[in-house]
Amino acid sequence: MLVAENITFAYAAGAPVLQGVSFTLTRGDILYLLGRNGCGKTTLMQCLSGALKPASGSVTFDGKDLFAYTPQERAQRIGLIPQLHSPVFAYTVHELVLMGRAPHMGLFGTPSKADHAVAESALDSVGLAHYRNRPYTQLSGGERQLVLIARGLAQQCRVLLMDEPDAHLDLHNQQKVMAIVQKLTREGLSFIITSHIPNNALFYARQVLLMKAGRVLTTGDPAQTLTEPLLSEAYEMDTEVLYDTRGTVRVARAVLPKRWQA
Amino acid sequence: MRLLTMRRVWAASAPARAGDLLYAALLLLPFALIIAALMVGLYTISVENVLRALLAPFFPDLANGLTTTELTLVQRIRLPRVLSAALIGATLASTGSAFQGIFKNPLVDSNLLGVTSGAGFGAALALLLGGTTLVVQGFAFGFGLLAVLLAYAGSRIYSTAPMIVLTLMGILIGSFFGSLTSLMKYVADPLNTLPAITFWLLGGLTGVTWQSVPTLALLTVCGSLFLWSVRWRLNILSLGDTEATTLGMNPNRLKLAIIVCATLMTAAAVAVGGVVGWVGLVIPHAGRILVGPDHKRLIPVSLALGASFLLVIDTLSRTLLSTEVPLGILTGLVGVPLLIVLLRRNQTGW
């Protein structure tokens, strides 16, 4: 469905931020982007959302180049769920979710009854229907993240890009958000998620893209990619993967850093 | 900025029906105030006679029984002034709302890019040269546009982050014209030209005639229609460029269109009414307290509330004392207590 081939991008000539990045995202996939700060995760997300145009290589959606779609058509297919933010104006939860309908109407359009219904059902599927009239700015981090997911759902796109959904959430809310993400993949939605918590990739990823300095270090399912040598190389430090043996199968249970002596 | 975020407690706790009623009442308010303002003055006219004088051009029979004084007062003296006050208030408040939305900043108004400062200099220059009212208005309008155009041209030097550079340029150009205005005041004749410039810079509608109404009305109506038509897009713009882009919009193009529209409207308003501060900054806040931040309602309410507010202020300005009190003085004196009352009654937390 969403295919990236050999993407290269540079903000300044001679200093490429992305080099030869390729992957394929299928329906219902959860792809985790892992890597150190500055390895190019955010830039890659922007290339996928259409905010930045790769210098070379291609991104295609259903076989058609991403930039051959109009911005509006693109937004009907790929949505971005930003990191937690606090808008200046206190829109209600319903108003904020409703903004996800923007790609489906003209410049001078306003939401119709049908748009309101889509927003309501999106809010319902993240379990926050009772919050519809609450000001978004008064919600806790976990609730805000869920509202932003609901806005992505209201956008009715097929791929949602999530920028560090676990960054500001407690353990409970991280799992709650991810449980909803998993539920949505069963309905056919695909996710690309950036994260600094390899354990979440271990738990939830179908596919991992481990990046280092703008290049793909390795890609594949979590069992192949989240190994001690690869993680140690990606994060440039010693890491340890704990395994559990269930019957004859050895399952990775946790990724831990090796403690440093400063 | 987070501290300044307004909560929408009123609309969240009251039933939707009460919200709709308040919205409708706010939209009707300026029309009631126009009639009231036409009645009040040195010579008081009854509601009936005001309505008859207003409708007389269409139904000549209604003029029977009205004195010539009443007809002249309503039709030729008060009406142009009252309409100007309503149009200027509506313009300043709605463009203020739009600017606060697109710049994601509740502390700005449509003067952010220097239009008022440019207009102030234009008017001062025209007064110094001894121009007539129309010349002063023309100069104010022209220099208002020139200031924003200079700010825009300046911001083109950089290709990245045009909005931030544009804001910076606007502030620079604004203060540049501010200095030029001070120079005009410094060299002006302290006996007649200087008071005229000072009075203009404080805002006022003394001596407004029908001559200045058509341009003002045309720009206000067309501009408001444009702002109203993009009312829902303003919500998305107020979330920032990244989100607007991922929601399929071209934020910079729409912002530019809104800036052009708001600048034309503001220049026309300032050209007629002089520098009337405060309205564009604070009326949008009052609007958000009453109907919430959704521009779908905020834009119409800003128009209505701005018009109502300036109608009240202008009526006070011509009736309070035997001489006219400049608008710029009264807007703050009356507006600040009013906003404090609104804030208290709605328990709005910052």
Side-chain angles (χ1 to χ4, degrees):
Chain A
M1 187 170 49
L2 184 66
V3 182
E5 264 177 289
N6 240 340
I7 307 181
T8 310
F9 185 85
Y11 290 102
V17 183
L18 293 176
Q19 290 185 72
V21 176
S22 305
F23 66 85
T24 301
L25 188 77
T26 54
R27 194 179 137 89
D29 214 343
I30 300 180
L31 170 68
Y32 261 82
L33 294 180
L34 296 181
R36 292 194 56 190
N37 290 124
C39 74
K41 294 190 299 293
T42 308
T43 307
L44 178 57
M45 291 286 255
Q46 286 181 300
C47 286
L48 298 175
S49 73
L52 295 177
K53 194 173 178 180
S56 67
S58 72
V59 186
T60 55
F61 189 95
D62 283 345
K64 186 176 166 186
D65 191 274
L66 200 58
F67 290 89
Y69 293 101
T70 65
Q72 195 154 7
E73 287 170 343
R74 217 159 39 224
Q76 289 168 7
R77 287 162 178 80
I78 301 176
L80 176 83
I81 295 171
Q83 280 195 37
L84 282 192
H85 61 7
S86 187
V88 181
F89 304 112
Y91 295 111
T92 65
V93 168
H94 178 75
E95 284 163 358
L96 200 88
V97 174
L98 200 55
M99 293 186 203
R101 299 302 298 156
H104 298 274
M105 57 184 86
L107 182 60
F108 301 119
T110 55
S112 65
K113 274 221 168 71
D115 290 319
H116 281 276
V118 172
E120 288 296 321
S121 87
L123 205 50
D124 207 28
S125 53
V126 299
L128 285 182
H130 55 292
Y131 274 17
R132 65 184 307 282
N133 289 325
R134 288 271 299 275
Y136 171 80
T137 43
Q138 282 179 14
L139 303 184
S140 74
E143 292 159 348
R144 275 192 223 174
Q145 188 68 60
L146 289 173
V147 170
L148 290 176
I149 292 179
R151 191 179 73 189
L153 291 180
Q155 208 172 329
Q156 290 182 320
C157 40
R158 289 170 45 206
V159 176
L160 279 177
L161 312 173
M162 293 179 87
D163 197 7
E164 295 189 34
D166 45 25
H168 302 281
L169 302 188
D170 67 35
L171 210 55
H172 178 102
N173 280 329
Q174 287 178 29
Q175 308 314 310
K176 187 173 175 181
V177 166
M178 288 315 298
I180 285 172
V181 164
Q182 282 194 311
K183 184 188 90 175
L184 294 169
T185 58
R186 287 195 290 274
E187 293 163 15
L189 213 63
S190 311
F191 287 85
I192 297 179
I193 298 170
T194 64
S195 176
H196 286 303
I197 307 176
N199 280 324
N200 280 344
L202 200 57
F203 291 150
Y204 298 110
R206 305 258 161 81
Q207 201 185 154
V208 173
L209 201 71
L210 200 55
M211 293 179 68
K212 187 182 177 186
R215 293 174 186 278
V216 178
L217 196 60
T218 178
T219 175
D221 66 41
Q224 295 168 328
T225 48
L226 301 177
T227 62
E228 277 172 21
L230 287 168
L231 285 166
S232 300
E233 194 185 338
Y235 288 102
E236 296 172 77
M237 61 178 286
D238 288 336
T239 55
E240 200 174 354
V241 179
L242 303 184
Y243 291 92
D244 211 4
T245 309
R246 293 187 175 162
T248 55
V249 190
R250 208 169 69 123
V251 186
R253 295 288 293 159
V255 175
L256 292 178
K258 283 235 176 93
R259 215 194 249 186
W260 275 6
Q261 299 290 328
Chain B
M1 205 57 68
R2 189 174 306 184
L3 286 176
L4 287 164
T5 306
M6 286 198 148
R7 299 191 319 186
R8 194 185 166 180
V9 173
W10 195 91
S13 57
R17 187 74 56 81
D20 291 343
L21 221 66
L22 175 75
Y23 180 57
L26 285 173
L27 294 191
L28 292 175
L29 187 61
F31 298 99
L33 286 174
I34 285 175
I35 306 293
L38 288 173
M39 294 161 56
V40 185
L42 215 55
Y43 183 100
T44 310
I45 306 172
S46 68
V47 193
E48 192 202 331
N49 287 356
V50 163
L51 290 175
R52 281 166 62 159
L54 279 179
L55 295 172
F58 312 105
F59 309 100
D61 289 354
L62 288 172
N64 294 338
L66 291 181
T67 63
T68 329
T69 317
E70 284 174 328
L71 270 177
T72 314
L73 269 179
V74 171
Q75 290 179 349
R76 300 200 32 211
I77 298 182
R78 286 186 195 163
L79 193 56
R81 177 165 182 164
V82 163
L83 283 181
S84 301
L87 291 169
I88 291 169
T91 282
L92 295 177
S94 60
T95 54
S97 290
F99 261 53
Q100 292 181 5
I102 62 176
F103 288 99
K104 298 191 295 174
N105 186 344
L107 297 177
V108 304
D109 62 16
S110 55
N111 185 32
L112 181 68
L113 300 180
V115 57
T116 310
S117 315
F121 166 72
L125 183 65
L127 288 167
L128 200 69
L129 299 174
T132 62
T133 311
L134 269 189
V135 172
V136 172
Q137 288 183 1
F139 267 57
F141 186 76
F143 275 93
L145 297 187
L146 179 71
V148 177
L149 210 66
L150 285 176
Y152 181 74
S155 75
R156 293 278 94 182
I157 297 169
Y158 294 88
S159 55
T160 52
M163 277 299 151
I164 292 171
V165 184
L166 181 60
T167 311
L168 180 64
M169 282 293 166
I171 292 167
L172 290 178
I173 298 289
S175 66
F176 178 76
F177 276 108
S179 302
L180 284 182
T181 308
S182 302
L183 178 70
M184 295 295 112
K185 287 166 82 171
Y186 186 68
V187 299
D189 180 346
L191 287 180
N192 46 52
T193 317
L194 185 58
I197 294 177
T198 308
F199 201 78
W200 195 92
L201 291 175
L202 287 170
L205 292 169
T206 324
V208 166
T209 60
W210 277 112
Q211 265 187 319
S212 29
V213 177
T215 320
L216 178 63
L218 185 76
L219 283 170
T220 306
V221 170
C222 295
S224 314
L225 277 175
F226 176 71
L227 292 182
W228 183 74
S229 66
V230 296
R231 61 201 181 283
W232 194 68
R233 294 281 154 175
L234 274 168
N235 289 346
I236 296 170
L237 285 180
S238 78
L239 296 181
D241 288 357
T242 315
E243 288 190 66
T245 308
T246 56
L247 287 170
M249 287 175 63
N250 182 336
N252 282 333
R253 204 187 300 162
L254 184 55
K255 277 187 197 171
L256 199 63
I258 291 169
I259 288 171
V260 169
C261 165
T263 300
L264 283 169
M265 289 169 77
T266 310
V270 176
V272 175
V275 181
V276 183
W278 206 87
V279 178
L281 187 64
V282 180
I283 294 295
H285 289 277
R288 277 188 211 100
I289 293 170
L290 293 168
V291 299
D294 186 349
H295 291 82
K296 245 175 97 180
R297 284 193 169 184
L298 184 59
I299 290 293
V301 162
S302 295
L303 285 164
L305 221 51
S308 306
F309 181 71
L310 212 60
L311 275 169
V312 171
I313 295 298
D314 182 54
T315 308
L316 287 177
S317 127
R318 66 188 166 86
T319 53
L320 212 55
L321 302 176
S322 55
T323 57
E324 293 249 353
V325 187
L327 290 183
I329 293 174
L330 282 177
T331 45
L333 289 184
V334 178
V336 170
L338 212 81
L339 191 79
I340 289 173
V341 169
L342 267 179
L343 281 169
R344 273 190 61 87
R345 285 200 40 180
N346 290 286
Q347 293 293 306
T348 301
W350 296 86

